[in-house]
């Protein structure tokens, strides 16, 4: 559930932003609470939490979108909530990527993704924007085949970034877009120098 939620498979991007944006008091201070989720954005990475309790049972749930990790704790007791929460926060600290998602000194993720997808569809990929291995992988024949497949579906539109996390020292952006009447998702891996090292496309 947690991975489906942060991966954009439960809510629209607009609803997800509303849910994960802390409400603010009249004086501008954050409440630390969005729409149904606790929102802690003061540490190395954003952490979303939710708790539950009834007589004889407590639950604590947290998800770290940056590392696509979650902690779910359940206990058959209604007197152990504080120890349960302390344990949960300790475990979440182990899942938080050091320093958070790597910064990229190049175009914003949505701009980089849109430019790459449109260039692939046009058959004019700029190798200087790619890592060496990805550039070697995208041979002229590979680009021609991708161009044929993408062009047959229609124009690319509504490109949005719905999440980001770290993997292997790279910034991974979760991209959602439309191509003709089809909905699609992509994972774009970029190193801090802005080079695209991999871009995986999935039809939804």
């Amino acid at each position: 559930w947690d991975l489906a939620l942060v991966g954009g498979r439960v809510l629209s991007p607009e609803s997800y932003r509303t849910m994960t944006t802390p409400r603010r008091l009249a004086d501008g201070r954050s409440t630390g609470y969005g729409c149904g989720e606790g929102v802690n954005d003061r540490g190395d990475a954003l952490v979303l939490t939710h708790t539950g309790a009834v007589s004889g049972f407590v639950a604590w749930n947290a998800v770290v979108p940056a590392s696509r990790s979650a902690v779910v704790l359940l206990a058959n007791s209604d007197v152990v909530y504080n120890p349960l929460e302390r344990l949960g926060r300790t475990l979440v600290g182990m899942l938080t990527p050091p320093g958070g998602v790597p910064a990229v000194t190049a175009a914003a993720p949505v701009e980089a993704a849109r430019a790459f997808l449109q260039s692939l569809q046009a058959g004019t990929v700029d190798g200087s924007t790619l890592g060496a291995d990805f550039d070697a992988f995208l041979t002229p024949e590979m680009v021609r085949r991708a161009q044929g497949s993408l062009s047959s579906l229609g124009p690319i539109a509504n490109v949005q970034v719905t999440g980001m996390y770290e993997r292997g020292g790279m910034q991974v952006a979760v991209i959602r877009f439309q191509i003709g009447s089809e909905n699609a998702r992509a994972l774009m891996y970029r190193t801090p120098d802005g080079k695209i090292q991999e871009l995986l496309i999935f039809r939804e």
Side-chain angles (χ1 to χ4, degrees):
W1 166 261
D2 286 327
L3 293 180
L5 181 64
V6 301
R9 299 196 300 275
V10 177
L11 299 174
S12 69
E14 295 78 12
S15 294
Y16 181 78
R17 278 193 297 272
T18 298
M19 185 190 74
T20 59
T21 300
R23 304 300 96 187
R24 296 202 170 271
L25 302 175
D27 62 5
R29 287 179 298 153
S30 172
T31 63
Y33 195 78
C35 290
E37 291 276 4
V39 182
N40 183 349
D41 56 2
R42 292 179 299 233
D44 287 332
L46 174 72
V47 178
L48 307 174
T49 58
H50 189 78
T51 62
V54 294
S55 180
F57 173 82
V58 290
W60 192 87
N61 180 77
V63 59
V64 184
S67 60
R68 295 180 60 78
S69 305
V71 174
V72 181
L73 300 176
L74 309 172
N76 292 328
S77 171
D78 54 11
V79 296
V80 297
Y81 177 74
N82 287 336
L84 195 74
E85 182 177 17
R86 284 196 299 272
L87 173 61
R89 295 196 182 283
T90 298
L91 294 173
V92 165
M94 298 176 182
L95 300 174
T96 303
V101 179
V104 169
T105 56
V110 67
E111 295 168 4
R114 183 185 296 113
F116 176 80
L117 291 167
Q118 290 176 341
S119 70
L120 190 61
Q121 190 174 50
T124 57
V125 174
D126 179 2
S128 69
T129 65
L130 311 177
D133 290 341
F134 194 27
D135 186 33
F137 172 76
L138 286 178
T139 61
E141 175 59 24
M142 184 74 73
V143 172
R144 277 194 296 273
R145 288 167 53 195
Q147 178 189 15
S149 297
L150 295 174
S151 297
S152 66
L153 295 173
I156 292 171
N158 298 326
V159 180
Q160 299 179 8
V161 174
T162 60
M164 283 201 300
Y165 58 96
E166 182 273 345
R167 184 163 186 181
M170 291 181 285
Q171 178 194 85
V172 184
V174 181
I175 313 292
R176 280 191 157 70
F177 61 99
Q178 287 180 302
I179 178 164
S181 60
E182 300 280 346
N183 291 319
R185 176 172 60 94
L187 298 178
M188 181 177 68
Y189 293 71
R190 290 196 297 169
T191 41
D193 61 2
K195 302 287 188 182
I196 299 175
Q197 304 295 335
E198 185 175 34
L199 193 138
L200 308 173
I201 301 175
F202 308 88
R203 178 178 287 178
E204 296 197 318

